[in-house]
Amino acid sequence: WSDHRKGRGTNSVKRVLVGMSIVDILASFAWFLSTWAVPEDSGFAYASGTTASCNFQGFLLQIAIGAPLYNSSLALFYLLLIKQRWSDEQVWRIE
């Protein structure tokens, strides 16, 4: 709180970009797993996983919804900053 007021805090865009990057990395890893994570007895090609690995892959793919949400936050931030001419302080108050 006090660091942000003094100008030493991280800014909103950097936090959103870091969050979006983390979500993209996790989702990309889940897509990379492809059918490897699917249980062997499922009949899918190259399936060599277990139910737990399949559930883990599904969890990672559900996290992928975060990327469009972060992207929307970034678009809203720029709308407020550029179009509405909000200051960083005003944006920080609604975070």
Side-chain angles (χ1 to χ4, degrees):
W1 166 259
S2 64
D3 284 346
H4 184 77
R5 292 246 180 220
K6 294 176 186 174
R8 287 183 261 160
T10 60
N11 77 28
S12 303
V13 173
K14 289 179 185 175
R15 280 194 300 277
V16 170
L17 287 175
V18 166
M20 191 163 52
S21 297
I22 290 169
V23 167
D24 276 340
I25 289 168
L26 292 174
S28 295
F29 177 68
W31 285 113
F32 170 76
L33 290 176
S34 182
T35 58
W36 292 338
V38 176
E40 290 182 64
D41 58 354
S42 65
F44 285 98
Y46 307 109
S48 59
T50 63
T51 302
S53 64
C54 187
N55 287 337
F56 178 68
Q57 182 184 25
F59 173 74
L60 290 179
L61 289 173
Q62 288 301 309
I63 289 176
I65 191 64
L69 295 175
Y70 275 117
N71 196 6
S72 298
S73 298
L74 198 58
L76 177 62
F77 173 78
Y78 281 119
L79 173 76
L80 294 174
L81 193 67
I82 296 169
K83 180 81 173 155
Q84 303 299 324
R85 300 185 187 271
W86 277 31
S87 67
D88 285 336
E89 182 69 26
Q90 288 174 302
V91 173
W92 181 75
R93 277 191 230 140
I94 65 167
E95 265 186 70

